[in-house]
Amino acid sequence: MSDVVAGYDYAQPTEAGAVQALGALVGAAAAEPLWDLAARSLAVQRPVLSTDDLCRVADQLMQLGDLARIAGRSLRVRCITYDALSGSAEQ
Amino acid sequence: MTPQELAELRRTDRLRDLARLGLEGDEDRPELRQAVQDLAAEWQVPVALATVMLDTAQLFAAASWLPPWVTEVGGMPVEWTFCRAMLATREGFAVSDLTRDPRFAGNPLVRLDGVRSYAGAPLISHRGHLVGTLCVLDVQVRDFDDATVAALAQRADDVMIGIERAASQVHQGAGR
């Protein structure tokens, strides 16, 4: 499976990208522990690889304050976009 | 995206304001739904949207119509949005033919999904932040002009008043 949707030139969201985006809002030092907390609370193994698991962590992030909620909501949109365009949701 | 657009997207005071208004949620907003349906009907456009500009994505708070896959997503990556151009200018704008505008001709929504024209106006909160947009899209070239943008800006102001009022009622109800 390619990790870039052809035509749309849209790359599969990654944990590293998600943590970086979260860090842009809450600070790099806070982002990693927040992300880790969200993943651990779901017993999701790191690194988080699949868009399904990224979505689950995004939902968990949305419980952790205003800025984390916004980062989580954005990540969710980006993951579902990838799934919708790549067809991976049906695979 | 330009550095200015990126900086504006990530401004935490803007994002906290957006959260104050409850715009990052996915609750149904009948007042926004009615506003975009009215807009689409009056302007005879297939798509009218009330959107929320998050940090890396744009949410569709209400839409008159969207393709099924976009409805499923409920938004789109912010780099694809036409509306992001308003982050720097805070002014509405219109493009009658997106294929002839170098800013947007390469956008996948134009190249692959057939979006051809756009008009948008910013939703500016009472605290002065651009939290979202009101916009219309068509798959045909449209004769959008300054009067179009002015009319849309007036609509956006009205929509913003409704959003602020709804948030105020929620906060009062919560005893905040």
Side-chain angles (χ1 to χ4, degrees):
Chain A
M1 184 182 72
S2 168
D3 65 353
V4 175
V5 180
Y8 287 87
D9 195 25
Y10 185 67
Q12 181 174 3
T14 63
E15 181 185 77
V19 174
Q20 185 178 32
L22 179 61
L25 305 191
V26 303
E32 174 61 31
L34 260 182
W35 181 268
D36 200 53
L37 174 66
R40 280 176 186 274
S41 65
L42 295 166
V44 171
Q45 192 169 5
R46 296 193 61 189
V48 184
L49 297 175
S50 73
T51 48
D52 277 354
D53 281 343
L54 285 170
C55 257
R56 292 176 61 207
V57 177
D59 287 344
Q60 194 67 14
L61 270 182
M62 291 171 68
Q63 312 300 318
L64 303 178
D66 284 350
L67 295 177
R69 185 161 63 250
I70 286 166
R73 192 83 168 98
S74 284
L75 176 58
R76 186 171 179 76
V77 168
R78 300 187 73 87
C79 287
I80 300 174
T81 297
Y82 180 81
D83 283 346
L85 291 176
S86 68
S88 63
E90 284 78 41
Q91 290 173 2
Chain B
M1 273 190 293
T2 68
Q4 191 176 358
E5 289 169 359
L6 268 179
E8 189 66 24
L9 283 167
R10 292 171 174 172
R11 273 183 59 171
T12 53
D13 55 346
R14 186 187 75 81
L15 294 169
R16 288 188 194 282
D17 197 20
L18 186 157
R20 171 185 67 86
L21 295 166
L23 290 172
E24 82 286 11
D26 54 7
E27 297 82 9
D28 182 40
R29 290 178 168 264
E31 78 283 9
L32 294 184
R33 190 155 30 86
Q34 189 64 54
V36 296
Q37 285 171 351
D38 290 348
L39 185 58
E42 289 172 32
W43 290 30
Q44 296 188 313
V45 290
V47 179
L49 298 167
T51 83
V52 180
M53 301 300 288
L54 301 180
D55 58 331
T56 65
Q58 180 182 41
L59 283 185
F60 300 142
S64 62
W65 180 86
L66 286 169
W69 78 266
V70 182
T71 300
E72 177 190 345
V73 175
M76 70 173 51
V78 74
E79 60 269 28
W80 293 350
T81 69
F82 309 113
C83 299
R84 68 183 163 80
M86 287 185 270
L87 288 162
T89 65
R90 298 167 59 89
E91 299 280 345
F93 72 103
V95 181
S96 293
D97 185 350
L98 291 159
T99 66
R100 294 178 177 274
D101 189 317
R103 293 175 298 173
F104 304 115
N107 187 306
L109 303 179
V110 177
R111 286 189 295 107
L112 303 176
D113 294 313
V115 178
R116 199 69 188 273
S117 52
Y118 167 90
L123 295 174
I124 306 286
S125 77
H126 290 182
R127 294 184 181 177
H129 298 114
L130 189 156
V131 292
T133 67
L134 186 68
C135 65
V136 296
L137 301 167
D138 203 338
V139 293
Q140 299 178 352
V141 171
R142 297 288 298 250
D143 189 21
F144 290 146
D145 57 16
D146 289 348
T148 307
V149 175
L152 201 52
Q154 182 59 58
R155 294 272 189 136
D157 289 346
D158 293 342
V159 165
M160 194 68 236
I161 289 169
I163 291 171
E164 290 279 4
R165 185 183 300 125
S168 176
Q169 288 169 350
V170 167
H171 291 177
Q172 284 172 4
R176 282 187 272 181

